[in-house]
PDB file of all heavy atoms in Angstrom:
ATOM      1  N   GLU A 970       7.896  -7.178  11.156  1.00  0.00           N
ATOM      2  CA  GLU A 970       9.288  -6.789  11.415  1.00  0.00           C
ATOM      3  C   GLU A 970       9.410  -5.872  12.631  1.00  0.00           C
ATOM      4  O   GLU A 970      10.375  -5.967  13.399  1.00  0.00           O
ATOM      5  CB  GLU A 970       9.886  -6.114  10.178  1.00  0.00           C
ATOM      6  CG  GLU A 970      10.265  -7.096   9.076  1.00  0.00           C
ATOM      7  CD  GLU A 970      10.715  -6.414   7.798  1.00  0.00           C
ATOM      8  OE1 GLU A 970      10.452  -5.193   7.650  1.00  0.00           O
ATOM      9  OE2 GLU A 970      11.312  -7.085   6.953  1.00  0.00           O
ATOM     10  N   LYS A 971       8.427  -4.988  12.825  1.00  0.00           N
ATOM     11  CA  LYS A 971       8.454  -4.095  13.989  1.00  0.00           C
ATOM     12  C   LYS A 971       8.389  -4.900  15.279  1.00  0.00           C
ATOM     13  O   LYS A 971       9.083  -4.592  16.261  1.00  0.00           O
ATOM     14  CB  LYS A 971       7.287  -3.107  13.921  1.00  0.00           C
ATOM     15  CG  LYS A 971       7.461  -2.014  12.871  1.00  0.00           C
ATOM     16  CD  LYS A 971       6.297  -1.047  12.895  1.00  0.00           C
ATOM     17  CE  LYS A 971       6.478   0.041  11.836  1.00  0.00           C
ATOM     18  NZ  LYS A 971       5.321   0.983  11.824  1.00  0.00           N
ATOM     19  N   LYS A 972       7.540  -5.935  15.294  1.00  0.00           N
ATOM     20  CA  LYS A 972       7.423  -6.780  16.482  1.00  0.00           C
ATOM     21  C   LYS A 972       8.698  -7.586  16.705  1.00  0.00           C
ATOM     22  O   LYS A 972       9.119  -7.819  17.843  1.00  0.00           O
ATOM     23  CB  LYS A 972       6.218  -7.721  16.344  1.00  0.00           C
ATOM     24  CG  LYS A 972       4.912  -7.119  16.813  1.00  0.00           C
ATOM     25  CD  LYS A 972       4.948  -6.918  18.322  1.00  0.00           C
ATOM     26  CE  LYS A 972       3.793  -6.067  18.800  1.00  0.00           C
ATOM     27  NZ  LYS A 972       3.917  -5.754  20.237  1.00  0.00           N
ATOM     28  N   VAL A 973       9.305  -8.031  15.609  1.00  0.00           N
ATOM     29  CA  VAL A 973      10.563  -8.782  15.724  1.00  0.00           C
ATOM     30  C   VAL A 973      11.662  -7.880  16.278  1.00  0.00           C
ATOM     31  O   VAL A 973      12.471  -8.307  17.116  1.00  0.00           O
ATOM     32  CB  VAL A 973      10.974  -9.382  14.361  1.00  0.00           C
ATOM     33  CG1 VAL A 973      12.350 -10.034  14.444  1.00  0.00           C
ATOM     34  CG2 VAL A 973       9.944 -10.409  13.897  1.00  0.00           C
ATOM     35  N   GLU A 974      11.697  -6.628  15.816  1.00  0.00           N
ATOM     36  CA  GLU A 974      12.668  -5.661  16.347  1.00  0.00           C
ATOM     37  C   GLU A 974      12.477  -5.501  17.856  1.00  0.00           C
ATOM     38  O   GLU A 974      13.454  -5.453  18.624  1.00  0.00           O
ATOM     39  CB  GLU A 974      12.496  -4.305  15.661  1.00  0.00           C
ATOM     40  CG  GLU A 974      12.909  -4.255  14.201  1.00  0.00           C
ATOM     41  CD  GLU A 974      14.422  -4.112  14.032  1.00  0.00           C
ATOM     42  OE1 GLU A 974      15.153  -4.183  15.046  1.00  0.00           O
ATOM     43  OE2 GLU A 974      14.854  -3.938  12.880  1.00  0.00           O
ATOM     44  N   GLU A 975      11.227  -5.429  18.269  1.00  0.00           N
ATOM     45  CA  GLU A 975      10.920  -5.292  19.687  1.00  0.00           C
ATOM     46  C   GLU A 975      11.435  -6.497  20.475  1.00  0.00           C
ATOM     47  O   GLU A 975      12.069  -6.335  21.530  1.00  0.00           O
ATOM     48  CB  GLU A 975       9.395  -5.163  19.854  1.00  0.00           C
ATOM     49  CG  GLU A 975       8.923  -5.014  21.281  1.00  0.00           C
ATOM     50  CD  GLU A 975       7.402  -4.995  21.380  1.00  0.00           C
ATOM     51  OE1 GLU A 975       6.758  -4.379  20.496  1.00  0.00           O
ATOM     52  OE2 GLU A 975       6.860  -5.602  22.322  1.00  0.00           O
ATOM     53  N   ALA A 976      11.181  -7.702  19.952  1.00  0.00           N
ATOM     54  CA  ALA A 976      11.639  -8.924  20.622  1.00  0.00           C
ATOM     55  C   ALA A 976      13.166  -8.997  20.652  1.00  0.00           C
ATOM     56  O   ALA A 976      13.762  -9.414  21.651  1.00  0.00           O
ATOM     57  CB  ALA A 976      11.063 -10.154  19.911  1.00  0.00           C
ATOM     58  N   THR A 977      13.794  -8.558  19.569  1.00  0.00           N
ATOM     59  CA  THR A 977      15.259  -8.576  19.489  1.00  0.00           C
ATOM     60  C   THR A 977      15.880  -7.652  20.529  1.00  0.00           C
ATOM     61  O   THR A 977      16.864  -8.009  21.192  1.00  0.00           O
ATOM     62  CB  THR A 977      15.721  -8.151  18.080  1.00  0.00           C
ATOM     63  OG1 THR A 977      15.196  -9.058  17.112  1.00  0.00           O
ATOM     64  CG2 THR A 977      17.229  -8.161  17.975  1.00  0.00           C
ATOM     65  N   GLU A 978      15.315  -6.456  20.686  1.00  0.00           N
ATOM     66  CA  GLU A 978      15.839  -5.504  21.659  1.00  0.00           C
ATOM     67  C   GLU A 978      15.707  -6.048  23.080  1.00  0.00           C
ATOM     68  O   GLU A 978      16.610  -5.882  23.914  1.00  0.00           O
ATOM     69  CB  GLU A 978      15.096  -4.165  21.537  1.00  0.00           C
ATOM     70  CG  GLU A 978      15.456  -3.367  20.284  1.00  0.00           C
ATOM     71  CD  GLU A 978      16.948  -3.093  20.170  1.00  0.00           C
ATOM     72  OE1 GLU A 978      17.547  -2.678  21.182  1.00  0.00           O
ATOM     73  OE2 GLU A 978      17.510  -3.297  19.089  1.00  0.00           O
ATOM     74  N   ILE A 979      14.589  -6.699  23.366  1.00  0.00           N
ATOM     75  CA  ILE A 979      14.388  -7.284  24.704  1.00  0.00           C
ATOM     76  C   ILE A 979      15.412  -8.391  24.947  1.00  0.00           C
ATOM     77  O   ILE A 979      16.001  -8.493  26.027  1.00  0.00           O
ATOM     78  CB  ILE A 979      12.951  -7.837  24.840  1.00  0.00           C
ATOM     79  CG1 ILE A 979      11.937  -6.696  24.781  1.00  0.00           C
ATOM     80  CG2 ILE A 979      12.797  -8.610  26.152  1.00  0.00           C
ATOM     81  CD1 ILE A 979      10.495  -7.147  24.710  1.00  0.00           C
ATOM     82  N   LEU A 980      15.635  -9.209  23.926  1.00  0.00           N
ATOM     83  CA  LEU A 980      16.587 -10.319  24.061  1.00  0.00           C
ATOM     84  C   LEU A 980      18.006  -9.798  24.284  1.00  0.00           C
ATOM     85  O   LEU A 980      18.747 -10.328  25.117  1.00  0.00           O
ATOM     86  CB  LEU A 980      16.533 -11.198  22.810  1.00  0.00           C
ATOM     87  CG  LEU A 980      17.244 -12.551  22.874  1.00  0.00           C
ATOM     88  CD1 LEU A 980      16.643 -13.421  23.963  1.00  0.00           C
ATOM     89  CD2 LEU A 980      17.166 -13.268  21.529  1.00  0.00           C
ATOM     90  N   LYS A 981      18.369  -8.749  23.553  1.00  0.00           N
ATOM     91  CA  LYS A 981      19.704  -8.174  23.717  1.00  0.00           C
ATOM     92  C   LYS A 981      19.866  -7.566  25.107  1.00  0.00           C
ATOM     93  O   LYS A 981      20.914  -7.707  25.745  1.00  0.00           O
ATOM     94  CB  LYS A 981      19.949  -7.102  22.649  1.00  0.00           C
ATOM     95  CG  LYS A 981      20.168  -7.647  21.258  1.00  0.00           C
ATOM     96  CD  LYS A 981      20.357  -6.513  20.256  1.00  0.00           C
ATOM     97  CE  LYS A 981      20.584  -7.050  18.847  1.00  0.00           C
ATOM     98  NZ  LYS A 981      20.694  -5.947  17.856  1.00  0.00           N
ATOM     99  N   ALA A 982      18.823  -6.882  25.568  1.00  0.00           N
ATOM    100  CA  ALA A 982      18.874  -6.256  26.886  1.00  0.00           C
ATOM    101  C   ALA A 982      18.985  -7.304  27.990  1.00  0.00           C
ATOM    102  O   ALA A 982      19.735  -7.131  28.958  1.00  0.00           O
ATOM    103  CB  ALA A 982      17.642  -5.384  27.110  1.00  0.00           C
ATOM    104  N   SER A 983      18.271  -8.410  27.834  1.00  0.00           N
ATOM    105  CA  SER A 983      18.311  -9.464  28.851  1.00  0.00           C
ATOM    106  C   SER A 983      19.678 -10.142  28.879  1.00  0.00           C
ATOM    107  O   SER A 983      20.116 -10.644  29.914  1.00  0.00           O
ATOM    108  CB  SER A 983      17.215 -10.505  28.596  1.00  0.00           C
ATOM    109  OG  SER A 983      17.502 -11.274  27.434  1.00  0.00           O
ATOM    110  N   GLY A 984      20.376 -10.144  27.744  1.00  0.00           N
ATOM    111  CA  GLY A 984      21.697 -10.760  27.682  1.00  0.00           C
ATOM    112  C   GLY A 984      22.753  -9.954  28.415  1.00  0.00           C
ATOM    113  O   GLY A 984      23.812 -10.482  28.751  1.00  0.00           O
ATOM    114  N   ARG A 985      22.434  -8.661  28.677  1.00  0.00           N
ATOM    115  CA  ARG A 985      23.390  -7.800  29.370  1.00  0.00           C
ATOM    116  C   ARG A 985      23.196  -7.820  30.885  1.00  0.00           C
ATOM    117  O   ARG A 985      23.908  -7.161  31.621  1.00  0.00           O
ATOM    118  CB  ARG A 985      23.255  -6.364  28.844  1.00  0.00           C
ATOM    119  CG  ARG A 985      23.713  -6.190  27.398  1.00  0.00           C
ATOM    120  CD  ARG A 985      23.818  -4.722  27.038  1.00  0.00           C
ATOM    121  NE  ARG A 985      22.524  -4.081  26.952  1.00  0.00           N
ATOM    122  CZ  ARG A 985      21.826  -3.953  25.824  1.00  0.00           C
ATOM    123  NH1 ARG A 985      22.306  -4.453  24.691  1.00  0.00           N
ATOM    124  NH2 ARG A 985      20.664  -3.346  25.809  1.00  0.00           N
ATOM    125  N   THR A 986      22.182  -8.562  31.328  1.00  0.00           N
ATOM    126  CA  THR A 986      21.911  -8.650  32.765  1.00  0.00           C
ATOM    127  C   THR A 986      22.137 -10.066  33.249  1.00  0.00           C
ATOM    128  O   THR A 986      22.067 -11.027  32.478  1.00  0.00           O
ATOM    129  CB  THR A 986      20.456  -8.232  33.069  1.00  0.00           C
ATOM    130  OG1 THR A 986      19.566  -9.111  32.382  1.00  0.00           O
ATOM    131  CG2 THR A 986      20.197  -6.802  32.630  1.00  0.00           C
ATOM    132  N   ARG A 987      22.360 -10.187  34.547  1.00  0.00           N
ATOM    133  CA  ARG A 987      22.614 -11.516  35.111  1.00  0.00           C
ATOM    134  C   ARG A 987      21.338 -12.360  35.120  1.00  0.00           C
ATOM    135  O   ARG A 987      21.366 -13.546  34.839  1.00  0.00           O
ATOM    136  CB  ARG A 987      23.167 -11.363  36.537  1.00  0.00           C
ATOM    137  CG  ARG A 987      23.560 -12.670  37.187  1.00  0.00           C
ATOM    138  CD  ARG A 987      24.312 -12.428  38.482  1.00  0.00           C
ATOM    139  NE  ARG A 987      25.581 -11.736  38.228  1.00  0.00           N
ATOM    140  CZ  ARG A 987      26.436 -11.387  39.190  1.00  0.00           C
ATOM    141  NH1 ARG A 987      26.148 -11.633  40.470  1.00  0.00           N
ATOM    142  NH2 ARG A 987      27.557 -10.782  38.876  1.00  0.00           N
ATOM    143  N   ALA A 988      20.226 -11.726  35.485  1.00  0.00           N
ATOM    144  CA  ALA A 988      18.942 -12.445  35.509  1.00  0.00           C
ATOM    145  C   ALA A 988      18.281 -12.313  34.142  1.00  0.00           C
ATOM    146  O   ALA A 988      17.824 -11.237  33.763  1.00  0.00           O
ATOM    147  CB  ALA A 988      18.042 -11.865  36.588  1.00  0.00           C
ATOM    148  N   ARG A 989      18.262 -13.366  33.388  1.00  0.00           N
ATOM    149  CA  ARG A 989      17.736 -13.349  32.016  1.00  0.00           C
ATOM    150  C   ARG A 989      16.203 -13.328  32.043  1.00  0.00           C
ATOM    151  O   ARG A 989      15.574 -14.282  32.500  1.00  0.00           O
ATOM    152  CB  ARG A 989      18.244 -14.576  31.264  1.00  0.00           C
ATOM    153  CG  ARG A 989      17.894 -14.613  29.785  1.00  0.00           C
ATOM    154  CD  ARG A 989      18.562 -15.828  29.146  1.00  0.00           C
ATOM    155  NE  ARG A 989      18.095 -16.093  27.808  1.00  0.00           N
ATOM    156  CZ  ARG A 989      18.578 -15.532  26.712  1.00  0.00           C
ATOM    157  NH1 ARG A 989      19.546 -14.649  26.820  1.00  0.00           N
ATOM    158  NH2 ARG A 989      18.120 -15.840  25.521  1.00  0.00           N
ATOM    159  N   ASP A 990      15.618 -12.228  31.573  1.00  0.00           N
ATOM    160  CA  ASP A 990      14.161 -12.093  31.539  1.00  0.00           C
ATOM    161  C   ASP A 990      13.722 -11.904  30.089  1.00  0.00           C
ATOM    162  O   ASP A 990      13.931 -10.846  29.508  1.00  0.00           O
ATOM    163  CB  ASP A 990      13.722 -10.908  32.401  1.00  0.00           C
ATOM    164  CG  ASP A 990      12.200 -10.748  32.416  1.00  0.00           C
ATOM    165  OD1 ASP A 990      11.509 -11.683  31.965  1.00  0.00           O
ATOM    166  OD2 ASP A 990      11.719  -9.704  32.869  1.00  0.00           O
ATOM    167  N   VAL A 991      13.154 -12.934  29.522  1.00  0.00           N
ATOM    168  CA  VAL A 991      12.773 -12.891  28.097  1.00  0.00           C
ATOM    169  C   VAL A 991      11.259 -12.965  27.924  1.00  0.00           C
ATOM    170  O   VAL A 991      10.775 -13.210  26.823  1.00  0.00           O
ATOM    171  CB  VAL A 991      13.454 -14.034  27.320  1.00  0.00           C
ATOM    172  CG1 VAL A 991      14.957 -13.863  27.306  1.00  0.00           C
ATOM    173  CG2 VAL A 991      13.073 -15.394  27.907  1.00  0.00           C
ATOM    174  N   ALA A 992      10.506 -12.744  28.994  1.00  0.00           N
ATOM    175  CA  ALA A 992       9.040 -12.852  28.909  1.00  0.00           C
ATOM    176  C   ALA A 992       8.475 -11.888  27.868  1.00  0.00           C
ATOM    177  O   ALA A 992       7.563 -12.236  27.109  1.00  0.00           O
ATOM    178  CB  ALA A 992       8.424 -12.583  30.280  1.00  0.00           C
ATOM    179  N   GLY A 993       9.044 -10.675  27.806  1.00  0.00           N
ATOM    180  CA  GLY A 993       8.558  -9.695  26.827  1.00  0.00           C
ATOM    181  C   GLY A 993       8.815 -10.135  25.401  1.00  0.00           C
ATOM    182  O   GLY A 993       7.978  -9.943  24.509  1.00  0.00           O
ATOM    183  N   ALA A 994       9.980 -10.743  25.170  1.00  0.00           N
ATOM    184  CA  ALA A 994      10.307 -11.231  23.828  1.00  0.00           C
ATOM    185  C   ALA A 994       9.384 -12.378  23.435  1.00  0.00           C
ATOM    186  O   ALA A 994       8.916 -12.451  22.285  1.00  0.00           O
ATOM    187  CB  ALA A 994      11.763 -11.688  23.783  1.00  0.00           C
ATOM    188  N   VAL A 995       9.111 -13.278  24.384  1.00  0.00           N
ATOM    189  CA  VAL A 995       8.198 -14.398  24.117  1.00  0.00           C
ATOM    190  C   VAL A 995       6.802 -13.867  23.795  1.00  0.00           C
ATOM    191  O   VAL A 995       6.140 -14.344  22.868  1.00  0.00           O
ATOM    192  CB  VAL A 995       8.144 -15.362  25.323  1.00  0.00           C
ATOM    193  CG1 VAL A 995       7.034 -16.400  25.137  1.00  0.00           C
ATOM    194  CG2 VAL A 995       9.484 -16.058  25.512  1.00  0.00           C
ATOM    195  N   ALA A 996       6.360 -12.850  24.539  1.00  0.00           N
ATOM    196  CA  ALA A 996       5.039 -12.260  24.304  1.00  0.00           C
ATOM    197  C   ALA A 996       4.949 -11.638  22.915  1.00  0.00           C
ATOM    198  O   ALA A 996       3.934 -11.772  22.216  1.00  0.00           O
ATOM    199  CB  ALA A 996       4.738 -11.212  25.374  1.00  0.00           C
ATOM    200  N   ALA A 997       6.029 -10.956  22.498  1.00  0.00           N
ATOM    201  CA  ALA A 997       6.047 -10.327  21.163  1.00  0.00           C
ATOM    202  C   ALA A 997       5.962 -11.387  20.071  1.00  0.00           C
ATOM    203  O   ALA A 997       5.228 -11.224  19.082  1.00  0.00           O
ATOM    204  CB  ALA A 997       7.308  -9.491  21.000  1.00  0.00           C
ATOM    205  N   LEU A 998       6.703 -12.496  20.238  1.00  0.00           N
ATOM    206  CA  LEU A 998       6.667 -13.569  19.243  1.00  0.00           C
ATOM    207  C   LEU A 998       5.319 -14.267  19.243  1.00  0.00           C
ATOM    208  O   LEU A 998       4.810 -14.672  18.180  1.00  0.00           O
ATOM    209  CB  LEU A 998       7.790 -14.582  19.512  1.00  0.00           C
ATOM    210  CG  LEU A 998       9.219 -14.059  19.358  1.00  0.00           C
ATOM    211  CD1 LEU A 998      10.223 -15.176  19.581  1.00  0.00           C
ATOM    212  CD2 LEU A 998       9.436 -13.431  17.986  1.00  0.00           C
ATOM    213  N   THR A 999       4.712 -14.425  20.415  1.00  0.00           N
ATOM    214  CA  THR A 999       3.379 -15.039  20.495  1.00  0.00           C
ATOM    215  C   THR A 999       2.355 -14.182  19.761  1.00  0.00           C
ATOM    216  O   THR A 999       1.471 -14.700  19.073  1.00  0.00           O
ATOM    217  CB  THR A 999       2.965 -15.214  21.973  1.00  0.00           C
ATOM    218  OG1 THR A 999       3.929 -16.042  22.637  1.00  0.00           O
ATOM    219  CG2 THR A 999       1.596 -15.866  22.083  1.00  0.00           C
ATOM    220  N   GLU A1000       2.497 -12.860  19.885  1.00  0.00           N
ATOM    221  CA  GLU A1000       1.595 -11.947  19.170  1.00  0.00           C
ATOM    222  C   GLU A1000       1.772 -12.082  17.658  1.00  0.00           C
ATOM    223  O   GLU A1000       0.785 -12.061  16.899  1.00  0.00           O
ATOM    224  CB  GLU A1000       1.881 -10.511  19.617  1.00  0.00           C
ATOM    225  CG  GLU A1000       0.897  -9.499  19.073  1.00  0.00           C
ATOM    226  CD  GLU A1000       1.173  -8.087  19.569  1.00  0.00           C
ATOM    227  OE1 GLU A1000       1.688  -7.946  20.689  1.00  0.00           O
ATOM    228  OE2 GLU A1000       0.877  -7.131  18.822  1.00  0.00           O
ATOM    229  N   ILE A1001       3.013 -12.239  17.220  1.00  0.00           N
ATOM    230  CA  ILE A1001       3.289 -12.440  15.792  1.00  0.00           C
ATOM    231  C   ILE A1001       2.627 -13.714  15.295  1.00  0.00           C
ATOM    232  O   ILE A1001       2.004 -13.745  14.219  1.00  0.00           O
ATOM    233  CB  ILE A1001       4.813 -12.497  15.541  1.00  0.00           C
ATOM    234  CG1 ILE A1001       5.441 -11.124  15.721  1.00  0.00           C
ATOM    235  CG2 ILE A1001       5.120 -13.026  14.142  1.00  0.00           C
ATOM    236  CD1 ILE A1001       6.958 -11.128  15.704  1.00  0.00           C
ATOM    237  N   LEU A1002       2.739 -14.788  16.068  1.00  0.00           N
ATOM    238  CA  LEU A1002       2.165 -16.074  15.669  1.00  0.00           C
ATOM    239  C   LEU A1002       0.640 -16.000  15.606  1.00  0.00           C
ATOM    240  O   LEU A1002       0.021 -16.577  14.701  1.00  0.00           O
ATOM    241  CB  LEU A1002       2.601 -17.170  16.638  1.00  0.00           C
ATOM    242  CG  LEU A1002       4.102 -17.509  16.633  1.00  0.00           C
ATOM    243  CD1 LEU A1002       4.417 -18.565  17.678  1.00  0.00           C
ATOM    244  CD2 LEU A1002       4.546 -17.986  15.251  1.00  0.00           C
TER     245      LEU A1002
END
Side-chain angles (χ1 to χ4, degrees):
E970 283 174 344
K971 287 182 180 179
K972 273 292 168 186
V973 174
E974 290 280 7
E975 180 184 321
T977 300
E978 288 304 313
I979 294 172
L980 192 61
K981 287 178 180 177
S983 70
R985 292 191 290 267
T986 61
R987 184 170 296 179
R989 186 175 169 86
D990 181 13
V991 295
V995 171
L998 295 183
T999 301
E1000 187 178 330
I1001 289 171
L1002 294 177

